[in-house]
Amino acid sequence: MIPNLKLNNGIEIPAIGFGTWQLSEGEEVEQSVSIALKAGYRLIDTAKIYGNEYGVGKAVRESSLERKEVFITTKLWARDLGFDNAFEAFEESKNNLKLEYIDLYLIHWPGPSPRVWLDSWRALAQIYQKGDARAVGVSNFEVSHLERLLDNTTLPPAVNQIEFHPFVYKKQAPILNFCVANDIVVEAYSPLAQARQMNHPVILEIAETYSKTPAQVLLRWAIQHGTIPIPRSSNSQRIRENLDVFDFELQEEQMLRLNNLSTGVSVL
Ligand code: 1BO
């Protein structure tokens, strides 16, 4: 059973989710989401730019789960920023997913013009107030974006989804700290660093201590930082393994060793 966290508007969100970035529309995303739901994931993350919303919605509708048992996130892409555009893009995502409502709708990327993304936020606030999204938030927002947003709204974002794994820890820690201080939950995308560091000796050594995989250690590290990791995989064994991270706890010293792997460089 996956524990839940609470967002700043009181709604619950699973402590780990299933990411679908880079899963192709059709069989790949449908099968992966279906395996994830059977394995026990209850948070599925997609975005209009991923081009796979239709398959995500289909897998959710065809599962044996009730709609309210699954938490669905999608996102407003940068090209759709702006007040009117945001409403249109939201409707398009909802139609692609063929779902009555979205649990969490995020501005995917702030873009260069604060006026434009603040206009988009006003649209998201209305979507939230109408009940078409149960919570709204942002993604890839840095501290300066968050400060500006909080100065210009009465509705704080519930979530900021950012790249988060040990190799970007130093760059992202100020954002995490700001979010924690302002009651904004951080979701961690690319929590496995795109599988580029699975043979790192520090990760391997810690994994061996707990008889866990390197991926499970990275996910546990993200969870112990209070973030919600959203690992992606199309491999059924790894999809299941990535969920098996609630029966061990990293020691403070191991957390610090992992923090210190950071070079400050994004792996994207
Ligand atoms: C371009 C997509 C990055 C993660 O959502």
Side-chain angles (χ1 to χ4, degrees), residues 2-198:
I2 302 168
N4 284 332
L5 303 185
K6 213 166 240 188
L7 298 179
N8 58 17
N9 65 353
I11 75 164
E12 297 205 315
I13 181 168
I16 188 168
F18 184 73
T20 64
W21 180 33
Q22 293 168 330
L23 294 182
S24 342
E25 182 60 287
E27 202 177 316
E28 186 181 41
V29 78
E30 284 167 35
Q31 266 186 15
S32 306
V33 171
S34 166
I35 292 167
L37 292 172
K38 284 192 187 114
Y41 290 83
R42 292 296 177 264
L43 189 176
I44 309 292
D45 182 274
T46 181
K48 190 171 160 214
I49 192 68
Y50 302 168
N52 59 18
E53 289 174 311
Y54 178 79
V56 167
K58 185 162 183 275
V60 171
R61 284 192 312 280
E62 289 180 359
S63 75
S64 56
L65 296 163
E66 286 183 48
R67 170 68 187 90
K68 65 174 186 228
E69 292 178 272
V70 189
F71 190 104
I72 304 289
T73 303
T74 192
K75 312 185 192 83
L76 173 72
W77 184 236
R79 221 183 12 227
D80 298 321
L81 286 173
F83 186 74
D84 293 331
N85 290 350
F87 286 106
E88 274 175 40
F90 178 77
E91 282 309 312
E92 213 180 306
S93 283
K94 207 151 66 81
N95 288 338
N96 290 340
L97 284 156
K98 300 202 187 307
L99 298 174
E100 286 289 292
Y101 63 89
I102 305 300
D103 292 280
L104 177 63
Y105 194 48
L106 306 179
I107 294 182
H108 206 146
W109 227 287
S113 162
R115 187 186 52 78
V116 175
W117 60 255
L118 282 169
D119 278 349
S120 314
W121 184 255
R122 285 195 296 117
L124 263 65
Q126 288 192 17
I127 288 167
Y128 170 66
Q129 273 139 16
K130 266 182 66 196
D132 289 335
R134 295 174 66 228
V136 286
V138 295
S139 181
N140 299 297
F141 271 45
E142 297 182 359
V143 171
S144 60
H145 299 116
L146 293 166
E147 283 172 337
R148 193 185 281 247
L149 178 55
L150 293 178
D151 283 347
N152 284 280
T153 184
T154 52
L155 178 69
V159 163
N160 185 20
Q161 185 180 115
I162 57 174
E163 183 188 359
F164 194 74
H165 50 75
F167 300 91
V168 286
Y169 178 70
K170 286 193 182 118
K171 177 172 169 268
Q172 303 297 58
I175 305 177
L176 174 62
N177 294 339
F178 183 91
C179 288
V180 170
N182 287 280
D183 201 10
I184 300 166
V185 166
V186 168
E187 287 186 328
Y189 75 74
S190 299
L192 305 179
Q194 306 222 19
R196 289 181 194 172
Q197 299 283 353
M198 291 310 186

Side-chain angles (χ1 to χ4, degrees), residues 202-212 217 254 257:
V202 171
I203 302 174
L204 283 174
E205 186 199 313
I206 297 174
E208 211 167 289
T209 312
Y210 295 101
S211 302
K212 289 286 181 183
V217 167
Q254 294 165 330
R257 284 177 77 199

